[in-house]
């Protein structure tokens, strides 16, 4: 099973998700988009599947620090541009596993996603 988890190394939610995967013995690749960046193709794919409203982390400090003008009139394109410019605005983690996409971390959702493992 090809699994990649995307996020930021020091994020507490990322630590929980990675610890969950480690406890279950599930091998994965980790992509730190604060270090490695993220490309438009990934964001397009994630937004197409989960919606920009799910992928854009509006609860985080990076988004909250934006000028009101940058927050106004949000749509798919504007959200993707914000996330490309500041990957910290991408909700964490984003998990890709054999065609599945999980945004955020909830143990019960991971249990369901990896039920066949």
């Amino acid at each position: 099973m090809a699994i990649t988890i995307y996020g930021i190394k020091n994020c507490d939610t990322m630590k929980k998700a990675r610890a969950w995967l480690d406890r279950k013995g599930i091998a994965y690749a980790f992509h730190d988009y604060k270090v490695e960046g993220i490309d438009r193709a990934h964001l397009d794919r994630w937004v197409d599947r989960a919606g920009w409203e799910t992928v854009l982390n509006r609860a985080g400090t990076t988004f909250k620090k934006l000028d009101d003008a940058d927050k106004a009139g949000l749509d798919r394109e504007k959200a993707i541009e914000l996330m490309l410019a500041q990957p910290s605005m991408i909700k964490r983690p984003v998990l890709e596993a054999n065609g599945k996409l999980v945004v955020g971390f909830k143990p019960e959702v991971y249990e369901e996603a990896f039920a066949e493992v």
Side-chain angles (χ1 to χ4, degrees):
M1 179 181 274
I3 300 167
T4 303
I5 189 167
Y6 298 82
I8 296 170
K9 185 176 186 177
N10 292 326
C11 168
D12 288 339
T13 306
M14 285 297 306
K15 290 176 185 176
K16 290 175 189 175
R18 293 176 72 190
W20 187 95
L21 293 167
D22 291 341
R23 275 193 311 277
K24 298 290 184 176
I26 299 171
Y28 59 90
F30 172 58
H31 179 102
D32 186 335
Y33 45 62
K34 191 132 186 182
V35 174
E36 301 173 58
I38 195 72
D39 60 25
R40 175 76 191 225
H42 277 87
L43 289 173
D44 279 333
R45 188 169 60 249
W46 296 345
V47 167
D48 286 347
R49 295 195 52 203
W52 68 264
E53 300 89 342
T54 299
V55 180
L56 179 65
N57 182 10
R58 289 177 280 184
T61 55
T62 305
F63 182 82
K64 289 179 179 179
K65 288 181 182 178
L66 288 176
D67 292 335
D68 287 341
D70 290 329
K71 295 178 193 175
L74 278 175
D75 60 11
R76 180 186 196 283
E77 187 59 33
K78 190 169 184 179
I80 289 173
E81 291 301 324
L82 287 171
M83 291 183 282
L84 282 171
Q86 297 187 59
S88 297
M89 281 193 250
I90 302 169
K91 187 164 183 155
R92 300 178 292 271
V94 176
L95 179 84
E96 291 182 324
N98 280 0
K100 294 179 185 177
L101 179 72
V102 180
V103 180
F105 174 70
K106 290 185 179 173
E108 62 274 14
V109 174
Y110 273 43
E111 285 287 348
E112 185 179 320
F114 292 101
E116 72 279 357
V117 174

